[in-house]
Amino acid sequence: MMMTFGNRLKALRIGKGMTQRETAEMIGVDAPMYNRYEHGERMVRREKVGRLAECYGITEDELMKYWLADRICSLLAYEHCAVDAIKIASKEISRHDYKAKGY
């Protein structure tokens, strides 16, 4: 089974023994919205990823990987040449130091 961002959030939350309501309050959303995040019905805003990582005691990068993967999948899921495009993008990203350039 693919570990989507929502599945990862749920696993982290359960692992910490927290309720959706508790987590929602900590990141400044209501419980129904947080539920939509876990079910993949809504995408978490980028600025909330760090807050969620903080709540669950992990690094932002650790959670960001799943967030980015979901974004990529939602953009490319139905494109017949998506895998080839990802390979090209991966090579290009590896060639550049994007962090140093502020991207």
Side-chain angles (χ1 to χ4, degrees):
M1 177 172 122
M2 185 180 135
M3 179 63 79
T4 64
F5 184 77
N7 290 340
R8 185 70 180 132
L9 288 181
K10 184 175 183 178
L12 289 165
R13 179 180 57 76
I14 290 171
K16 288 288 185 180
M18 297 173 68
T19 66
Q20 287 184 345
R21 183 172 307 283
E22 290 170 328
T23 304
E25 287 175 9
M26 291 176 79
I27 66 166
V29 299
D30 62 22
M33 178 62 76
Y34 183 82
N35 181 277
R36 289 183 197 103
Y37 295 158
E38 282 192 6
H39 286 93
E41 297 167 3
R42 289 291 301 263
M43 188 62 152
V44 173
R45 289 186 175 188
R46 166 67 180 88
E47 60 269 13
K48 299 279 188 202
V49 175
R51 296 274 305 142
L52 284 162
E54 221 175 271
C55 290
Y56 297 133
I58 61 173
T59 66
E60 184 173 347
D61 282 353
E62 189 176 339
L63 194 54
M64 181 59 67
K65 294 173 197 177
Y66 290 96
W67 186 82
L68 288 169
D70 267 13
R71 292 196 49 146
I72 292 166
C73 287
S74 69
L75 179 65
L76 299 177
Y78 300 105
E79 300 294 338
H80 71 280
C81 58
V83 172
D84 292 333
I86 290 170
K87 288 177 187 175
I88 293 166
S90 178
K91 286 179 187 175
E92 189 63 23
I93 290 168
S94 295
R95 288 183 40 222
H96 294 35
D97 185 3
Y98 283 96
K99 284 187 178 183
K101 293 181 180 179
Y103 294 108

